[in-house]
Amino acid sequence: MIIVMNPEATQAEIDHVIERVVGAGLKVHISEGKMRTIIGVIGEKKLMSQLPVEAMAGVEKAVSVTVSYKLASREFKHDDTIIDIGGIKVGEGNLTVMAGPCAVESLEQLMLSAEVVKNAGAQFLRGGAYKPRTSPYSFQGLEEKGLEMLAAAREKTGLKIVTEVVDVQSVPLVADYADVLQIGARNMQNFKLLKAVGRADKPVLLKRGMAATINEWLNAAEYIMNEGNYNVMFCERGIRTFEDYTRNTLDLSAVAVLKNLSHLPVIVDPSHGTGVWKLVRPMARAAVAGGADGLMIEVHPNPMEALSDGNQSLTPENFRSLMGEVTAVAALMGKISV
Amino acid sequence: MIIVMNPEATQAEIDHVIERVVGAGLKVHISEGKMRTIIGVIGEKKLMSQLPVEAMAGVEKAVSVTVSYKLASREFKHDDTIIDIGGIKVGEGNLTVMAGPCAVESLEQLMLSAEVVKNAGAQFLRGGAYKPRTSPYSFQGLEEKGLEMLAAAREKTGLKIVTEVVDVQSVPLVADYADVLQIGARNMQNFKLLKAVGRADKPVLLKRGMAATINEWLNAAEYIMNEGNYNVMFCERGIRTFEDYTRNTLDLSAVAVLKNLSHLPVIVDPSHGTGVWKLVRPMARAAVAGGADGLMIEVHPNPMEALSDGNQSLTPENFRSLMGEVTAVAALMGKISV
Amino acid sequence: MIIVMNPEATQAEIDHVIERVVGAGLKVHISEGKMRTIIGVIGEKKLMSQLPVEAMAGVEKAVSVTVSYKLASREFKHDDTIIDIGGIKVGEGNLTVMAGPCAVESLEQLMLSAEVVKNAGAQFLRGGAYKPRTSPYSFQGLEEKGLEMLAAAREKTGLKIVTEVVDVQSVPLVADYADVLQIGARNMQNFKLLKAVGRADKPVLLKRGMAATINEWLNAAEYIMNEGNYNVMFCERGIRTFEDYTRNTLDLSAVAVLKNLSHLPVIVDPSHGTGVWKLVRPMARAAVAGGADGLMIEVHPNPMEALSDGNQSLTPENFRSLMGEVTAVAALMGKISV
Amino acid sequence: MIIVMNPEATQAEIDHVIERVVGAGLKVHISEGKMRTIIGVIGEKKLMSQLPVEAMAGVEKAVSVTVSYKLASREFKHDDTIIDIGGIKVGEGNLTVMAGPCAVESLEQLMLSAEVVKNAGAQFLRGGAYKPRTSPYSFQGLEEKGLEMLAAAREKTGLKIVTEVVDVQSVPLVADYADVLQIGARNMQNFKLLKAVGRADKPVLLKRGMAATINEWLNAAEYIMNEGNYNVMFCERGIRTFEDYTRNTLDLSAVAVLKNLSHLPVIVDPSHGTGVWKLVRPMARAAVAGGADGLMIEVHPNPMEALSDGNQSLTPENFRSLMGEVTAVAALMGKISV
């Protein structure tokens, strides 16, 4: 940490800051400029984070030099993490596609979806059994019945299952049925839930919060990893901005940023990220060209009948086109040494 | 809901949309312009929200005419809700001040804070026993021990207690100790938690999510009220924007907006809303002049020793000045018929 | 336009609104629901835009059904606009690359850059002779001398020149030297300047304002086209959001949105869009895969010596890698029927 | 500036950075931690701003310690600037109110407005003769005729005139008629225009850009002051955020931030800042309680007839109520030593 003192700070104020820092078990390195004094602080991150430096008299600002996450960082683990999910390897240069309806609505709808997803070449079936909805009066999901249907679809098609878990209590139940536990955007900083999936023995797909910085997102992964579960995938799904044509603004640059800062795989969800089905195919291609390890796509056998997010779901036909396109882009990416 | 058809929509497409709407048990009202057809949809909100209209061929956009919350709306209850908390009436034209440290750190720190808060004239002691923190390595709160200390401070000073609850499981425990249950910004759309406090018998202070629209916030209150708990207060605490001088951008216009749309009381937290202690006093005065029913302020007997958010905490002296100022503004507001 | 009346609006209020609308030369279409009355307004856009409907008593909100731009819209011109710039066709399925230093610094720097750009296969040389800078104390550009250098580089390499024009007075001068006039992000709503380049006989590259919605951007293009200059290209260069790792958030979904709403070509600038040179290559690939007609890339013979934006400039070597990659993606796109 | 080297930076990279810094005429101060080396850079701001430090090999990030504006800073001038405009002193503890219609529409409308404004106790008449509008088809202002009407209104009422100037060429003309030159939000970084009003002999009201940080805003003021015109007032008018209930989010904390960083007066415009007339009165009160030196308010003799922004204009009656309220708050503020 670097402490920048105010140009008008007195020597007594400077001394007091130094005293506090040293008293906390940290070392200082002082640099006196013509205008102001700068104090470099060296030592344990933990001790630093508990010093309310900016509240001290004479301090103009404090600048953090190091990040607060460790296990999620590229410095901790240099090589890309590859997550093996029953033989499917996420992050190994293959493109992983997770697709399906927003919500599980009925066995028939799910089975139809699963077939479409399977035949088009995807490896995962997605579908929400627990649905966080803005209004209490909207459809909230089939809960355990939905989980059973997902298991039945896996049974029939061999697709792996990714589905959302929304509270601590249902983690064991969802982990019984799912191959991957999804943490939704609204729960990215539900720390109790992060800790709970950190103790589960299933990989976790961690969606980005609607207003979460990349730094906060990496720290959310750290919560999971700190409990022992190192199998974490990020999922970019759009951030909230002033632009109102799209439901969210899909931040594709986050993919390359995460690849620089972390060793964990990155998935992109252009369906929620745009909220407009016409934009899903171009943004899926863009995500893969930008370095994403996988995609999460909403497909519905009949979007016009969907109980949730029909406006952003692809028809089976559109999804097949998408699969052809992203497979071609992924093949090309295999030839690009990034 | 109003459905705006594309100028190039065919008659078959228009007919199909009408058929779907009518088939769902709703009525239509058709208006044919020179350029395009517009279809008004009349009937139950619930039925409408399940129609994926924008996915239908030929539809350009659908515009919602009504809001999805009901119990929280001014239309449902015309008069201001006044919440009686052991004799203290929030929303009755008096200014309610909730103050104290960000986190409960020790009995001594809390007792000193409580005295400062009490002597300056506030009615509530705030203090987190459970602290949601960005990094897993930061101080996470004293948990039940912290709750016991809060109860001890109430015992001694008579101050009411407001403290955060972060998961479903601890709702009964926190409700045992607290006078008001606080839902933090990160949990504003933790719907399971909203339902749980909706079944508790304590009033709820609902902080605004960092990227939550006012509409989503009203719907979050609806989740609580829909379970039977009508004693909900909103707490504006800043939203996330591009401006980086302040930690958040305190959206004071939300106070007057909520007063127009809802009957529930509105509290403002300028400490988290700005993140800079120098800005707390002016923004507290502004909040009251803008119509807030109360304030939530971070005070620490010694901000420079605080384990959390010291940079935004007021010293006892500053807090006493603030109380004098906001009391004067509140008195003035009593003379303004808003 | 659709006018939604308040549920509590009186008949007199409804009548008054209708009277005002009809009095303005427009037609109404009334739809009476159980809860509220809705008034459809039919007629000239211009007349509508001058009615302050939301200020009328009893009105809850007014919803615009049509867009306010015309010449820029896909409805006005169904086929893609192809802009022929001395034989180079922007928007014809080929990828157009504009590259060069942020600012023209010296003849030597520019000539070196131009050679790198030319040899790597780009068609346009970019370089600012007039530089809008946040601080008045930063380097402001070489002005006319810089334009002369750009012309010299064109002479030598055959590259076309794109350069920014920052005020009405210098439009004729810049148009004398440049092949394409660039309007910078800060001037996207400098309407006098838009009108001036609308009267120039050179194509215009219109950068998106840092907080401009796509709708405002289309209207800015309309300002130019309304003066007679139909050769307008959009250039996405990132929008301002809360994320602070990148300088801006590159909104790639804007490409596909513009392709749906307009017939004009779309260029993407990942250099300003991210502000981080490491992110330029992946985002350039993503832009092309997402449907962009071209790229604008900052290249500097020696980024470490650059007087402006060195942190986001590519080295010649990196730029050659980028060209190889985006050419491959563009070739693939040629096989995708979007 | 502080340069933070990467933990993996080689000694050669560190040496090269030092060499470059020293070669640029700056001094270094090196601090070697266990994990990484930190290089403090001391010397002329100008020299620093031209070093592309982050492009150098081994550099993780560079942190600016000082601000780039000087004349606008509180460090340059400790006491508040008071601007005397024909005897009216802005910034002297009095509340300055500028009010009037968004656009000058006719002599009759303006005279009626001026009377309302005068009688309610305001000191300035506002009104746009040049109107920057999103669409080229909206009303663009009466231009010089509008200026003449403003002068006539001044003649009759004694009110001072504040009106917008939108391009370099019309600065002399507008300065002939106006008492204060307004720079609109869209032109906050139109640097040629800033320089032009910097050479005019009239005070300038500088509106904040829709996505401008406070730091950029201060630098925009610096552009004006650097040309010799020190009479600059800031005008907060809302920033663009994700919230869509209000037209913009009025950032009232900017008032206190500016008061800390600068000596210049600060005005607040709650009319554009909210876009909703019902919110104007509460936000005007809040602005004054938060420390604003003045207000800019839209008033129209008949908002329902306004050619521009009628939805946010106050009726004469509402404006009179507002004046009563803000006068009371201002009187109270006179008793608060901030």
Side-chain angles (χ1 to χ4, degrees):
Chain A
M1 183 168 50
I2 293 157
I3 302 173
V4 180
M5 300 300 295
N6 205 295
E8 292 163 21
T10 63
Q11 189 57 44
E13 287 169 344
I14 295 169
D15 291 345
H16 176 250
V17 172
I18 293 168
E19 198 180 297
R20 288 291 312 280
V21 171
V22 172
L26 296 157
K27 286 188 191 161
V28 295
H29 191 283
I30 295 145
S31 154
E32 281 173 34
K34 210 165 66 185
M35 285 288 289
R36 60 183 88 216
T37 296
I38 285 163
I39 303 170
V41 181
I42 300 159
E44 280 295 304
K45 234 180 260 195
K46 216 166 175 170
L47 297 173
M48 276 185 216
S49 78
Q50 289 173 8
L51 270 182
V53 176
E54 289 184 12
M56 299 183 192
V59 172
E60 190 168 296
K61 66 174 167 182
V63 179
S64 186
V65 173
T66 51
V67 294
S68 56
Y69 52 89
K70 180 186 161 192
L71 306 173
S73 74
R74 185 65 88 175
E75 294 178 17
F76 177 75
K77 181 169 183 290
H78 187 266
D79 294 333
D80 282 1
T81 284
I82 294 167
I83 303 179
D84 189 324
I85 304 164
I88 294 171
K89 292 180 180 171
V90 180
E92 209 201 12
N94 306 307
L95 186 72
T96 308
V97 180
M98 305 170 170
C102 183
V104 179
E105 295 165 18
S106 70
L107 189 60
E108 193 202 353
Q109 168 246 23
L110 192 67
M111 286 301 184
L112 277 172
S113 301
E115 252 170 80
V116 169
V117 165
K118 173 77 181 175
N119 293 339
Q123 303 92 339
F124 278 81
L125 178 65
R126 63 148 289 156
Y130 299 87
K131 298 300 307 168
R133 302 297 299 272
T134 300
S135 161
Y137 309 125
S138 298
F139 175 62
Q140 309 269 322
L142 298 179
E143 310 209 336
E144 191 168 356
K145 275 193 188 170
L147 295 175
E148 286 165 8
M149 293 174 188
L150 286 164
R154 172 174 48 200
E155 192 67 28
K156 196 172 169 201
T157 59
L159 289 166
K160 305 293 171 198
I161 299 300
V162 51
T163 196
E164 183 166 353
V165 55
V166 297
D167 63 349
V168 172
Q169 281 151 303
S170 52
V171 169
L173 181 72
V174 178
D176 260 7
Y177 287 98
D179 298 293
V180 171
L181 300 172
Q182 178 178 321
I183 299 293
R186 290 172 184 81
N187 282 318
M188 194 204 86
Q189 291 196 315
N190 182 338
F191 300 117
K192 293 274 182 186
L193 183 56
L194 297 180
K195 286 180 182 175
V197 298
R199 289 185 299 264
D201 64 347
K202 289 287 166 71
V204 177
L205 183 91
L206 179 64
K207 289 205 151 190
R208 183 181 187 175
M210 277 176 273
T213 61
I214 293 171
N215 184 57
E216 289 169 338
W217 199 7
L218 284 157
N219 274 289
E222 191 80 6
Y223 264 96
I224 300 169
M225 298 175 85
N226 195 37
E227 300 293 323
N229 189 346
Y230 281 32
N231 292 321
V232 178
M233 293 162 265
F234 293 107
C235 181
E236 162 65 30
R237 46 77 71 209
I239 56 173
R240 200 154 263 192
T241 72
F242 63 84
E243 176 59 61
D244 58 2
Y245 188 91
T246 44
R247 185 166 159 181
N248 296 288
T249 296
L250 191 66
D251 178 12
L252 281 190
S253 61
V255 177
V257 172
L258 287 171
K259 289 286 176 191
N260 276 316
L261 300 179
S262 176
H263 53 89
L264 298 169
V266 185
I267 310 293
V268 170
D269 175 349
S271 303
H272 286 88
T274 64
V276 183
W277 69 264
K278 278 187 193 180
L279 305 178
V280 172
R281 273 169 59 191
M283 290 309 272
R285 296 193 307 260
V288 179
D293 297 299
L295 295 169
M296 178 168 254
I297 306 286
E298 276 191 26
V299 185
H300 195 281
N302 188 352
M304 305 200 325
E305 308 283 351
L307 293 184
S308 163
D309 286 340
N311 303 332
Q312 72 196 29
S313 289
L314 293 188
T315 58
E317 192 188 335
N318 257 310
F319 179 62
R320 281 187 292 267
S321 301
L322 176 148
M323 285 300 289
E325 294 169 11
V326 297
T327 303
V329 178
L332 188 66
M333 285 294 291
K335 295 173 206 146
I336 293 174
S337 60
V338 192
Chain B
M1 184 167 50
I2 293 156
I3 302 173
V4 180
M5 300 300 295
N6 204 295
E8 292 162 22
T10 63
Q11 191 56 45
E13 287 169 342
I14 295 169
D15 291 346
H16 176 250
V17 171
I18 294 168
E19 198 179 297
R20 288 292 310 278
V21 171
V22 173
L26 297 156
K27 286 187 191 163
V28 295
H29 192 282
I30 294 144
S31 156
E32 281 173 33
K34 209 165 64 186
M35 285 288 288
R36 59 183 88 216
T37 296
I38 285 163
I39 303 169
V41 181
I42 300 159
E44 281 295 305
K45 231 181 264 196
K46 216 167 173 170
L47 296 174
M48 276 186 215
S49 77
Q50 289 172 8
L51 267 183
V53 176
E54 288 185 13
M56 299 183 192
V59 171
E60 188 167 298
K61 66 174 169 183
V63 179
S64 185
V65 173
T66 51
V67 295
S68 56
Y69 53 88
K70 180 185 162 193
L71 306 173
S73 74
R74 186 67 88 177
E75 293 177 19
F76 177 75
K77 180 167 182 292
H78 187 266
D79 294 333
D80 282 1
T81 283
I82 294 166
I83 303 179
D84 189 323
I85 304 165
I88 294 171
K89 292 180 179 170
V90 180
E92 209 202 12
N94 305 307
L95 185 72
T96 307
V97 180
M98 304 169 170
C102 183
V104 179
E105 295 164 20
S106 70
L107 189 60
E108 193 203 352
Q109 168 245 24
L110 192 68
M111 286 301 183
L112 278 171
S113 301
E115 252 170 80
V116 170
V117 166
K118 174 76 181 177
N119 292 339
Q123 303 91 339
F124 277 80
L125 178 65
R126 61 148 290 155
Y130 300 85
K131 296 300 306 170
R133 302 297 298 274
T134 300
S135 161
Y137 309 124
S138 298
F139 175 62
Q140 309 269 323
L142 298 179
E143 311 209 337
E144 191 166 358
K145 275 192 188 171
L147 295 174
E148 287 166 9
M149 293 174 189
L150 286 164
R154 170 174 50 201
E155 192 66 28
K156 195 172 169 199
T157 59
L159 289 167
K160 305 292 173 200
I161 299 300
V162 52
T163 196
E164 183 166 353
V165 57
V166 296
D167 64 349
V168 172
Q169 281 151 302
S170 53
V171 169
L173 181 72
V174 178
D176 261 7
Y177 288 96
D179 298 293
V180 171
L181 300 172
Q182 177 179 321
I183 298 292
R186 291 172 185 79
N187 282 318
M188 194 203 87
Q189 291 195 315
N190 181 339
F191 300 118
K192 293 275 180 183
L193 183 56
L194 297 180
K195 286 180 182 175
V197 298
R199 290 184 297 265
D201 65 346
K202 291 286 166 69
V204 177
L205 182 91
L206 179 64
K207 288 206 152 189
R208 182 180 189 177
M210 277 176 273
T213 62
I214 293 172
N215 185 55
E216 289 168 338
W217 198 7
L218 285 156
N219 274 288
E222 191 80 7
Y223 263 95
I224 300 169
M225 299 174 84
N226 195 37
E227 299 292 323
N229 188 347
Y230 281 31
N231 291 322
V232 178
M233 294 163 264
F234 292 107
C235 181
E236 162 65 28
R237 45 79 69 210
I239 57 173
R240 200 154 263 191
T241 72
F242 64 85
E243 176 58 60
D244 57 3
Y245 188 90
T246 44
R247 186 165 159 181
N248 296 287
T249 296
L250 191 66
D251 178 13
L252 281 189
S253 62
V255 176
V257 172
L258 286 170
K259 289 285 174 192
N260 277 317
L261 300 178
S262 178
H263 51 89
L264 298 169
V266 185
I267 310 293
V268 170
D269 175 350
S271 303
H272 286 87
T274 65
V276 183
W277 69 265
K278 278 189 192 180
L279 306 177
V280 172
R281 274 167 61 189
M283 291 310 272
R285 297 192 307 260
V288 179
D293 296 299
L295 295 169
M296 177 167 255
I297 306 285
E298 275 191 26
V299 185
H300 194 282
N302 186 352
M304 305 200 324
E305 308 284 351
L307 294 184
S308 162
D309 285 341
N311 304 330
Q312 72 196 29
S313 288
L314 293 188
T315 58
E317 192 188 335
N318 257 310
F319 179 62
R320 282 187 291 268
S321 301
L322 177 148
M323 285 300 290
E325 294 169 12
V326 298
T327 303
V329 179
L332 187 68
M333 285 295 292
K335 294 171 205 147
I336 292 173
S337 59
V338 191
Chain C
M1 184 168 49
I2 294 157
I3 302 172
V4 179
M5 299 300 294
N6 203 297
E8 292 162 21
T10 62
Q11 191 56 46
E13 287 170 342
I14 294 169
D15 291 345
H16 176 250
V17 172
I18 294 168
E19 199 179 296
R20 288 290 311 279
V21 171
V22 172
L26 297 156
K27 286 187 191 163
V28 295
H29 191 284
I30 294 144
S31 155
E32 282 174 32
K34 209 164 66 183
M35 285 288 289
R36 60 184 89 218
T37 296
I38 284 164
I39 302 168
V41 180
I42 300 159
E44 280 296 305
K45 234 181 265 196
K46 214 166 174 171
L47 297 174
M48 277 186 215
S49 78
Q50 289 173 8
L51 268 182
V53 177
E54 289 185 13
M56 298 182 193
V59 171
E60 189 167 296
K61 65 174 169 184
V63 179
S64 186
V65 173
T66 52
V67 294
S68 56
Y69 53 90
K70 180 183 162 194
L71 306 173
S73 74
R74 187 66 88 175
E75 293 179 18
F76 177 74
K77 179 168 183 294
H78 187 266
D79 294 333
D80 282 0
T81 283
I82 293 166
I83 303 179
D84 189 323
I85 303 164
I88 294 171
K89 291 180 179 171
V90 181
E92 209 201 12
N94 306 306
L95 185 72
T96 307
V97 180
M98 305 170 169
C102 183
V104 179
E105 296 165 19
S106 70
L107 189 59
E108 194 203 352
Q109 169 246 22
L110 192 68
M111 285 302 183
L112 277 172
S113 301
E115 251 170 82
V116 170
V117 165
K118 174 75 180 177
N119 292 339
Q123 303 91 339
F124 278 81
L125 179 65
R126 62 148 289 157
Y130 300 85
K131 297 301 306 169
R133 303 298 298 273
T134 300
S135 161
Y137 309 124
S138 298
F139 174 62
Q140 309 270 322
L142 298 179
E143 311 208 336
E144 191 167 358
K145 275 193 187 170
L147 295 175
E148 287 165 9
M149 293 175 190
L150 286 164
R154 171 174 49 202
E155 192 65 30
K156 195 173 169 199
T157 58
L159 290 167
K160 305 292 173 199
I161 299 300
V162 51
T163 196
E164 184 166 352
V165 56
V166 297
D167 64 348
V168 172
Q169 281 150 302
S170 52
V171 169
L173 181 72
V174 179
D176 260 8
Y177 288 96
D179 298 292
V180 171
L181 300 172
Q182 178 180 320
I183 299 292
R186 291 172 184 79
N187 282 319
M188 194 204 86
Q189 291 195 315
N190 181 339
F191 300 118
K192 293 275 181 185
L193 183 57
L194 297 180
K195 286 180 183 174
V197 298
R199 289 184 299 264
D201 65 347
K202 290 287 165 70
V204 178
L205 182 91
L206 179 64
K207 289 206 151 191
R208 182 180 188 176
M210 277 176 273
T213 62
I214 294 172
N215 184 58
E216 289 168 339
W217 198 7
L218 285 156
N219 273 289
E222 191 81 6
Y223 263 96
I224 300 169
M225 298 174 85
N226 195 37
E227 299 292 323
N229 188 346
Y230 281 30
N231 291 321
V232 179
M233 293 162 265
F234 293 107
C235 181
E236 162 65 28
R237 46 78 69 209
I239 57 173
R240 201 154 261 194
T241 71
F242 63 84
E243 176 57 60
D244 57 4
Y245 188 91
T246 44
R247 185 164 160 181
N248 296 288
T249 296
L250 191 66
D251 178 12
L252 281 190
S253 61
V255 177
V257 172
L258 286 170
K259 290 284 173 191
N260 277 315
L261 300 178
S262 178
H263 52 88
L264 298 170
V266 185
I267 310 294
V268 170
D269 175 350
S271 304
H272 285 88
T274 64
V276 183
W277 70 265
K278 278 188 192 180
L279 306 177
V280 173
R281 273 167 61 192
M283 291 309 274
R285 297 192 307 262
V288 179
D293 296 300
L295 295 169
M296 176 167 255
I297 306 286
E298 275 190 27
V299 185
H300 195 282
N302 187 352
M304 306 199 324
E305 309 283 351
L307 294 183
S308 161
D309 285 342
N311 304 330
Q312 72 195 28
S313 289
L314 293 188
T315 58
E317 193 188 335
N318 258 311
F319 180 62
R320 283 187 291 268
S321 300
L322 177 148
M323 285 299 290
E325 294 170 12
V326 298
T327 303
V329 178
L332 187 68
M333 285 295 292
K335 295 172 204 146
I336 293 174
S337 60
V338 191
Chain D
M1 183 168 51
I2 292 157
I3 303 172
V4 179
M5 300 300 295
N6 204 294
E8 292 162 20
T10 63
Q11 190 57 44
E13 287 170 343
I14 295 169
D15 290 345
H16 177 250
V17 172
I18 293 169
E19 199 179 298
R20 289 290 312 278
V21 172
V22 172
L26 297 157
K27 285 187 192 163
V28 295
H29 191 285
I30 295 144
S31 155
E32 281 173 34
K34 210 166 64 186
M35 286 289 289
R36 61 184 89 217
T37 295
I38 285 164
I39 303 169
V41 181
I42 301 158
E44 280 296 305
K45 235 181 264 196
K46 216 167 174 170
L47 297 174
M48 277 186 216
S49 77
Q50 288 172 9
L51 269 183
V53 177
E54 287 184 12
M56 300 182 193
V59 172
E60 190 167 298
K61 65 174 168 182
V63 179
S64 186
V65 173
T66 51
V67 296
S68 56
Y69 52 89
K70 180 185 162 192
L71 307 172
S73 75
R74 187 65 88 175
E75 294 177 18
F76 177 75
K77 179 168 183 291
H78 187 267
D79 294 333
D80 282 0
T81 283
I82 295 166
I83 304 179
D84 188 323
I85 304 165
I88 294 171
K89 291 181 180 169
V90 179
E92 209 201 13
N94 305 307
L95 186 72
T96 308
V97 180
M98 305 169 169
C102 183
V104 179
E105 295 165 17
S106 69
L107 189 59
E108 193 201 353
Q109 168 247 23
L110 192 68
M111 286 301 185
L112 277 172
S113 300
E115 251 170 81
V116 171
V117 166
K118 174 77 181 177
N119 293 339
Q123 303 92 337
F124 279 81
L125 178 65
R126 61 148 291 157
Y130 300 85
K131 297 300 306 169
R133 303 297 298 274
T134 300
S135 162
Y137 308 125
S138 298
F139 175 62
Q140 309 270 324
L142 298 179
E143 311 208 337
E144 191 167 357
K145 275 192 187 170
L147 295 174
E148 288 166 7
M149 293 174 189
L150 286 164
R154 172 174 49 200
E155 192 67 29
K156 194 171 171 202
T157 60
L159 289 167
K160 306 292 172 198
I161 299 300
V162 52
T163 196
E164 183 166 354
V165 55
V166 297
D167 64 350
V168 172
Q169 281 150 303
S170 52
V171 170
L173 181 71
V174 179
D176 261 6
Y177 287 97
D179 297 293
V180 171
L181 301 172
Q182 178 178 321
I183 299 292
R186 290 171 185 80
N187 282 318
M188 193 203 86
Q189 291 196 316
N190 181 338
F191 300 118
K192 294 275 181 185
L193 183 56
L194 296 180
K195 286 180 183 174
V197 298
R199 290 184 297 265
D201 65 346
K202 290 286 167 71
V204 177
L205 182 91
L206 178 64
K207 289 205 152 191
R208 182 180 188 176
M210 276 176 273
T213 62
I214 293 172
N215 184 58
E216 290 168 337
W217 199 7
L218 285 157
N219 273 289
E222 191 79 7
Y223 264 96
I224 300 169
M225 298 174 85
N226 195 37
E227 300 292 322
N229 188 346
Y230 282 32
N231 292 322
V232 178
M233 293 162 265
F234 293 107
C235 181
E236 162 65 30
R237 46 77 70 209
I239 56 172
R240 200 153 263 193
T241 71
F242 63 84
E243 176 58 60
D244 58 2
Y245 188 90
T246 44
R247 184 165 161 181
N248 295 289
T249 296
L250 191 66
D251 178 13
L252 281 189
S253 61
V255 177
V257 172
L258 287 170
K259 289 287 175 190
N260 277 315
L261 300 178
S262 177
H263 52 88
L264 299 169
V266 185
I267 310 293
V268 170
D269 175 350
S271 303
H272 285 88
T274 65
V276 183
W277 70 264
K278 278 187 192 180
L279 305 178
V280 172
R281 273 167 60 191
M283 290 310 273
R285 297 192 308 261
V288 179
D293 297 299
L295 295 169
M296 176 166 256
I297 306 286
E298 276 191 27
V299 186
H300 195 281
N302 187 352
M304 305 201 324
E305 307 285 350
L307 294 184
S308 162
D309 285 340
N311 303 332
Q312 72 196 29
S313 289
L314 294 188
T315 58
E317 191 188 336
N318 258 309
F319 180 63
R320 281 186 292 268
S321 301
L322 176 147
M323 284 300 289
E325 293 169 11
V326 297
T327 303
V329 178
L332 187 67
M333 285 295 291
K335 294 171 206 146
I336 292 175
S337 60
V338 190

